[in-house]
Amino acid sequence: MLTDRLFTSLCLAALTFGIMGSATAKDSKNASKPQAASATATTPAKMPNTVSKVIDAVKDNLATNPESPEDPLRQMQSDAIKNQSAPWGYWGHVPGKYSTWTNHSNRFVPLYSFGMTLNSLREPGSMYADPERLNQRYGAVPKDTLNPQAHYHDQVDVYELQKLAARNGKKHIITIIFDGNDWQSTRNAAIYRNQADLYDSGRGQGLAFQDYRGTKTDFAFLVTAPRSGGAKYDVNTQTVLDIKKKVTGGFDPRRAGPMPWHETPQSQYPISRDREQPHSFTDSASSASSLLAGIKTYNGSINVNSDGSYATPIAHDLQKEGFRVGVVTSVPVSHATPGAAYANNVTRKDYQDISRDLIGLPSSSHRRNPLPGLDVLLGGGWGEGVGKDATQGDNFLPGNKYLHESDLERVQKSGKYLVAQRTPGRRGNDVLAEATQAAIEKDCRLLGYFGTRGGHLPFRTADGNYKPTFDVKGTERYTEADLAENPTLAEMATTALKVLSRPQSDTDPKDALAPFWLMVECGDVDWANHANNLDNSIGAVFSGEAAFQAVVDWVEANDAWDDTVVLVTSDHGHFFHLAQPQAIADAAIQAQAIQKLVQP
């Protein structure tokens, strides 16, 4: 580990050679302009010399401090949790305390489009400027939500964009959801990647989905508000019991700020703590139902309207039109976002029944006429056994709470799916690669089930390692087997693309690409932000970025941009406030210097 003495020397060297404060306000403003885009792949010109000087300073200490150094951002996170304060930022609305809020917020989330513009949203204008459309979506015009000057849009518009892409003849529709990744979380990751604070507004630069220009691309902000904060339901009968519950969602730009960078730090409105206007913030189930089925509903709903009727997600419609459909996630396969890609349920907590919908088995929502099932399902949840779970209803089976062993065995024995699971002693990507080849050769569906303790894939940290420090949820620790036996999100995305795009019949040319719809969820951003762990949060954004890059690589390798639309967005925000952006940049610079020292 890095000794206090060595770490102090490293920081002093950074100060001495001008790293801290190297990105001026002028740099930030200029970098946010279009002409600065070409600089996104590199750090400021003086950075290599500065890093070299830092390395030289650290080398002078290594002779007397020959211990392995650790990650500076990890140390920042550790100190912040230990001291419950940090000069560089905080979670919540209390600047003097590091961690006072671990839930969601109703902040704007970004939307990036590739292969299509967002003119179809701009031409009719925002629904938040139209009382008729607001009433249609919410069932009322929420108080202080109508804004004639609104230039932002809503998550239901992402559903409409996917429908439009299909109507316009696009054959490959890919939606990537960074769960819990607001504009602020994206900026944190970009600062680390750029090793400087290069923007303070707009689309930003430094990350692949910010910088990619290989096809037409566009950018907008979305409101994430639900229709209501929750509902009473009966999980056994799959009925909503309070269908007349009033609307509690909405969005007040005066309290929230008209853009993310205009937010008032001490405001409690984004976390529903404003007494005058306590608009509900969304959960992942309601927001995913908006993104993927186009409805405003209550928190906890998996494609069930507030009146109890079932909504039809885009995957169902496209599947009927001959598209293959798939879901990839870094968290349990029956969690809210992957569940809302295909299932119907009055509650996101009914994991086993949600998974039955996903793989085409009878469920509490579809007892007599089960859904056809996804063509590809890859994600976490493996090895998570419990004896009881009252939230899942009377048909809960003791065992794996996310996808029960008997259901997995049933679809495997029937030949409905080729099943690939985490296998002791085998690399996860090797298991997945073999299953991919077999699924293509046998022309069958693929179900991949992986994960570590908690049901998710291992959390990556900002420096690219998998060594999270402690946070408000505890400490994640991984064995070598955890890391080796699980594939990455990017590897799973690549697998899904190969299986979904395989020729639809023996008469098709071998290079023919079948039409498909794919949802990829980077779920660990949300888990990191719930835990108030900045290091994990930035690492999770990088994991999702790698998945985006895998998608782009597939499109380019197949020369398929004419037939492809990729939408990158988030389902909701959290509530981290960055007080000193340069602190993240400095940590990245120091990490690079340390890495150069320890590399052979």
Side-chain angles (χ1 to χ4, degrees), residues 386-433:
V386 296
K388 58 183 179 180
D389 188 346
T391 62
Q392 297 206 44
D394 295 342
N395 68 340
F396 173 77
L397 298 175
N400 192 297
K401 68 177 183 178
Y402 295 119
L403 194 168
H404 196 263
E405 294 86 348
S406 64
D407 293 328
L408 196 64
E409 183 180 6
R410 183 175 176 183
V411 295
Q412 186 173 23
K413 282 188 174 181
S414 69
K416 191 172 186 177
Y417 287 87
L418 192 154
V419 176
Q421 298 188 66
R422 178 176 171 176
T423 305
R426 297 203 60 200
R427 296 190 61 81
N429 196 39
D430 292 342
V431 172
L432 205 54

Side-chain angles (χ1 to χ4, degrees), residues 165-201:
R167 288 199 303 270
N168 289 344
K170 298 295 183 180
K171 297 179 181 178
H172 318 304
I173 301 172
I174 304 165
T175 300
I176 303 175
I177 300 174
F178 285 68
D179 198 313
N181 190 44
D182 46 31
W183 181 85
Q184 289 84 350
S185 295
T186 306
R187 181 173 174 238
N188 294 339
I191 291 170
Y192 192 94
R193 171 62 53 72
N194 295 327
Q195 298 185 352
D197 181 17
L198 297 184
Y199 69 92
D200 54 14
S201 63

Side-chain angles (χ1 to χ4, degrees), residues 28 38 318 327 448:
S28 178
S38 62
L318 294 181
V327 166

Side-chain angles (χ1 to χ4, degrees), residues 28 61 195 246 252 276 296 317 453 462 550:
S28 178
N61 288 278
Q195 298 185 352
K246 69 176 183 178
D252 185 346
E276 295 180 356
K296 286 289 186 185
D317 290 333
R453 183 178 180 183

Side-chain angles (χ1 to χ4, degrees), residues 208-228:
F209 51 85
Q210 294 175 316
D211 296 345
Y212 184 72
R213 297 296 187 272
T215 185
K216 53 188 170 184
T217 182
D218 212 337
F219 175 75
F221 286 108
L222 305 176
V223 172
T224 66
R227 183 187 186 277
S228 59

Side-chain angles (χ1 to χ4, degrees), residues 73 76-101 470-472 531-535 575-577:
L73 189 62
M76 285 170 55
Q77 169 67 24
S78 300
D79 290 344
I81 289 292
K82 180 174 64 177
N83 300 326
Q84 269 306 293
S85 66
W88 43 265
Y90 57 96
W91 303 83
H93 66 283
V94 184
K97 295 184 178 180
Y98 183 68
S99 179
T100 61
W101 187 255
F470 54 90
D471 50 42
V472 299
N532 291 176
N533 192 319
L534 181 64
D535 192 17
F575 211 44
F576 176 76
H577 299 278

